[in-house]
């Protein structure tokens, strides 16, 4: 067993345990912290796959910005007591978990078998590291239009959030 | 490590997210589970990108992350404004759109 396999098992186990912890904890704060652990473990997996840029963005954007937003909202709403009654009945929960296990079995089956005949499986596993240069070159040539659309998505999100918040403050002013 | 192991891990992480959406009724935790599913898809993208030896998969990860950031910003703003009006974020109690 070489170092890459050991690291894969380590990061994979941590990310999976973190993911299960996200859906198991009663209190949303603990779920959010478990999600950060999962994101860091996945950044490790990205490094193992030679995707250093994606790993850095994973830590900065997901574990940094997005999770701070989650934690901020959880603390703002102070949800500690509400989460206790936030679970569904045991019978439904068992049904959901059975469906989930079926979905996992399908996913594993596809991962193990369905790719056999495609170009993905026949390609030699390339041991190259993708640099930021490669990603940037693709992003600004072949995928320039999607990249520009991305900026529109961010603009729409920005305006949407401002509108959502602004309407509330106007209503509060009317109530005074 | 071959591609299959990464895809299996990705499938398991995705399934965990799906189960979370199904069994939890707290809107914020449902959002976190959606993030888990998006991340599982990212893992599959990067693994296949590595297997093919080109960077296209990682470009798509970039797009997925942008959409996820926009989605979280809007979603949390909606959750905050729902909480202001209803004093709850249990998705079973927020049902005024139900026909």
């Amino acid at each position: 067993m070489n170092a890459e396999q050991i690291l894969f098992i380590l990061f994979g186990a941590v990310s999976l345990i973190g993911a299960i912890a996200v859906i198991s904890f009663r209190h949303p704060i603990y779920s959010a912290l478990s999600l950060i652990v999962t994101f860091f473990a996945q950044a490790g997996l990205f490094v193992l796959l030679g995707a250093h840029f994606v790993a850095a963005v994973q830590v900065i954007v997901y574990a940094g910005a997005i999770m701070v937003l989650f934690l901020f909202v959880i603390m703002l709403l102070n949800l500690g007591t509400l989460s206790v009654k936030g679970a569904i009945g045991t019978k439904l929960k068992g049904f959901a978990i059975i469906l989930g296990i079926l979905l996992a079995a399908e996913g594993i089956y596809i991962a193990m078998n369905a790719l056999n005949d495609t170009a993905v499986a026949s390609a030699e596993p390339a041991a190259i590291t993708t640099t930021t240069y490669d990603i940037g070159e693709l992003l600004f040539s072949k995928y320039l239009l999607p990249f520009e659309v991305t900026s529109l998505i961010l603009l729409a999100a920005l305006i949407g959030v401002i509108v959502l918040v602004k309407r509330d403050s106007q209503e509060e002013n009317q109530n005074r | 490590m071959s591609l299959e192991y990464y895809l299996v891990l990705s499938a398991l992480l995705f399934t965990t997210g799906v189960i979370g959406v199904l069994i939890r009724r707290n809107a914020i935790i449902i959002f976190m589970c959606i993030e888990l599913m998006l991340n599982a898809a990212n893992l599959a993208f990067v693994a296949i990108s590595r297997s093919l030896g080109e960077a296209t998969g990682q470009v798509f990860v970039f797009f997925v992350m942008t959409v996820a950031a926009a989605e979280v910003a809007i979603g949390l703003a909606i959750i905050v404004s729902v909480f202001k009006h209803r004093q709850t974020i249990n998705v079973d109690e927020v049902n005024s759109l139900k026909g």
Side-chain angles (χ1 to χ4, degrees):
Chain A
M1 195 186 260
N2 58 25
E4 196 193 349
Q5 284 168 324
I6 294 171
L7 284 173
F8 173 78
I9 291 168
L10 179 71
F11 286 132
V14 169
S15 66
L16 207 53
I17 291 168
I20 291 168
V22 169
I23 64 171
S24 309
F25 276 123
R26 282 273 176 237
H27 200 297
I29 282 277
Y30 295 142
S31 295
L33 295 175
S34 311
L35 196 56
I36 293 177
V37 172
T38 304
F39 286 161
F40 269 103
Q42 284 200 6
L45 288 171
F46 289 150
V47 172
L48 278 184
L49 286 165
H52 297 162
F53 173 73
V54 175
V57 172
Q58 170 89 9
V59 172
I60 294 168
V61 174
Y62 266 113
I66 292 183
M67 290 319 296
V68 166
L69 208 57
F70 267 113
L71 289 173
F72 184 73
V73 170
I74 292 169
M75 290 176 180
L76 185 73
L77 302 186
N78 196 12
L79 290 169
T81 50
L82 284 171
S83 59
V84 178
K85 55 182 178 181
I88 60 173
T90 323
K91 197 182 275 182
L92 275 175
K93 193 180 267 182
F95 189 58
I97 287 171
I98 289 169
L99 280 180
I101 289 169
L102 278 176
L103 183 67
E106 284 173 18
I108 290 169
Y109 178 79
I110 290 170
M112 301 301 275
N113 297 311
L115 291 172
N116 281 347
D117 302 328
T118 58
V120 176
S122 59
E124 288 291 311
I128 53 137
T129 302
T130 321
T131 59
T132 314
Y133 179 87
D134 299 328
I135 300 170
E137 201 172 24
L138 270 176
L139 204 56
F140 289 109
S141 57
K142 197 178 172 186
Y143 295 101
L144 184 61
L145 180 65
F147 179 70
E148 296 295 339
V149 173
T150 298
S151 66
L152 280 182
I153 291 174
L154 286 177
L155 182 67
L158 195 67
I159 296 172
V161 171
I162 290 172
V163 168
L164 277 170
V165 176
K166 195 164 183 276
R167 193 186 55 201
D168 287 341
S169 61
Q170 277 175 348
E171 283 171 6
E172 279 171 16
N173 288 340
Q174 285 166 1
N175 291 338
R176 275 174 203 159
Chain B
M1 293 302 290
S2 65
L3 175 63
E4 283 86 1
Y5 294 101
Y6 284 99
L7 291 182
V8 167
L9 179 63
S10 168
L12 289 176
L13 284 172
F14 190 89
T15 310
T16 314
V18 171
I19 293 177
V21 170
L22 289 177
I23 67 174
R24 298 306 297 264
R25 296 281 68 115
N26 185 330
I28 288 184
I29 290 181
I30 290 178
F31 257 81
M32 289 183 202
C33 292
I34 294 173
E35 295 304 311
L36 267 183
M37 288 192 270
L38 288 169
N39 259 283
N42 281 350
L43 186 61
F45 267 130
V46 174
I48 290 175
S49 156
R50 153 82 164 218
S51 170
L52 289 173
E54 57 173 305
T56 311
Q58 296 178 30
V59 175
F60 277 91
V61 169
F62 178 81
F63 294 140
V64 170
M65 281 183 178
T66 318
V67 171
E71 171 240 334
V72 165
I74 297 258
L76 289 178
I78 291 173
I79 288 177
V80 168
S81 93
V82 164
F83 186 79
K84 272 184 190 167
H85 287 105
R86 308 289 297 264
Q87 303 301 313
T88 179
I89 53 164
N90 185 332
V91 290
D92 282 340
E93 294 172 27
V94 182
N95 55 5
S96 49
L97 276 181
K98 207 183 235 176

